[in-house]
Amino acid sequence: MKLSGVVENYKTLQSKYEGSWRRMWLLRPRVRTDGLYVSRNTYIRAGVAEWKITNPVHVVCYFRYIRFYPSGRFVYKNSSHKMKDVVKSMNFRAAKADCVYSGHYTLSDDKVEAAILYPGMRPTVLRIRLRVRGTTAGANNRMDLLSLVTSGVNRNEVNGPGEDILGVVEGWQDDETHNPDVPAVSHKRGMTPFVFVPFEEVETSVLNLPVDKMDYFVPG
């Protein structure tokens, strides 16, 4: 298997990057594993009017976190907590209370296909499609969220949370579900692009700022 991977890389090197390893390193899309991809999302929520004089609103902030591993696995978490407070739980040893879910992903050209399984009485799969890009050559420090779909899975299709759920749902349509009690839903909110933050910058990143200091972040 390793030999075939080396041969495939060499063929790609010759056919797409003029035999230059440096050119391939800079131009070939890749998933970074030395930090977290973070999507910071905000929305406006109406508050409770007092004395019928004002109509207050609140800016609500929440995050999507993804950490990729070279093995083709990843961990995912939705949270209102800042990055510096969740980074230690973004691994396969996370406690159940941390609500960190694991799944599998594939990379083809600049597209990432990923999926995780939410276990329970009605197992639900989250399918994620992303596009890798960079603000500079070779950075691979942004991921555009192309689609985010939840749908039901038949219990007979999965053996447990460690199964490669991505292989199970391969070829499914966006409106496809295998459990009529869990309809397929294509989510449109919280689609802000992911920004890559290396582990050494987690504590100091501006993404940790509260909404009163940064109400909106432009990923670039």
Side-chain angles (χ1 to χ4, degrees):
M1 291 295 290
K2 288 184 178 180
L3 180 61
S4 64
V6 171
V7 171
E8 193 64 34
N9 273 337
Y10 187 75
K11 288 181 179 178
T12 302
L13 174 73
Q14 298 299 325
S15 63
K16 293 186 177 181
Y17 303 103
E18 302 173 358
S20 169
W21 289 104
R22 181 179 184 276
R23 184 177 176 84
M24 186 167 80
W25 174 259
L26 290 175
L27 300 181
R28 188 183 192 182
R30 69 183 188 280
V31 169
R32 295 185 58 173
T33 59
D34 56 321
L36 301 179
Y37 284 92
V38 184
S39 171
R40 183 183 189 269
N41 297 275
T42 54
Y43 65 92
I44 303 297
R45 185 180 66 191
V48 178
E50 296 181 359
W51 306 106
K52 297 184 179 181
I53 297 175
T54 59
N55 291 307
V57 295
H58 304 286
V59 179
V60 180
C61 178
Y62 68 97
F63 303 86
R64 300 187 193 278
Y65 296 105
I66 296 180
R67 179 183 178 183
F68 292 99
Y69 288 81
S71 62
R73 298 183 68 194
F74 75 103
V75 291
Y76 174 88
K77 179 181 176 69
N78 271 359
S79 178
S80 60
H81 294 115
K82 300 170 187 174
M83 175 172 41
K84 63 182 181 180
D85 297 326
V86 305
V87 63
K88 290 183 179 179
S89 67
M90 291 296 291
N91 55 64
F92 296 118
R93 301 182 302 277
K96 189 174 182 180
D98 291 324
C99 296
V100 174
Y101 298 93
S102 64
H104 292 76
Y105 73 93
T106 59
L107 173 66
S108 178
D109 294 326
D110 62 345
K111 302 298 191 301
V112 175
E113 297 273 348
I116 60 174
L117 178 68
Y118 294 124
M121 295 297 293
R122 297 189 298 178
T124 302
V125 62
L126 173 66
R127 290 176 281 158
I128 309 169
R129 293 192 183 97
L130 303 145
R131 178 174 54 232
V132 184
R133 59 182 175 88
T135 53
T136 58
N140 296 289
N141 57 353
R142 297 291 187 273
M143 279 196 181
D144 296 320
L145 192 46
L146 303 180
S147 70
L148 198 66
V149 178
T150 51
S151 53
V153 183
N154 190 302
R155 285 184 173 275
N156 297 327
E157 294 177 300
V158 293
N159 297 319
E163 183 173 351
D164 180 6
I165 191 65
L166 183 61
V168 174
V169 301
E170 184 178 4
W172 283 26
Q173 301 300 310
D174 283 353
D175 60 352
E176 185 171 349
T177 183
H178 288 200
N179 184 343
D181 294 329
V182 185
V185 177
S186 180
H187 300 273
K188 302 303 180 185
R189 282 188 173 185
M191 303 292 282
T192 303
F194 284 84
V195 174
F196 182 77
V197 181
F199 287 125
E200 62 268 23
E201 297 177 15
V202 163
E203 293 288 333
T204 58
S205 172
V206 296
L207 291 171
N208 290 305
L209 291 174
V211 291
D212 60 337
K213 293 186 177 179
M214 184 174 68
D215 57 353
Y216 186 75
F217 176 75
V218 180

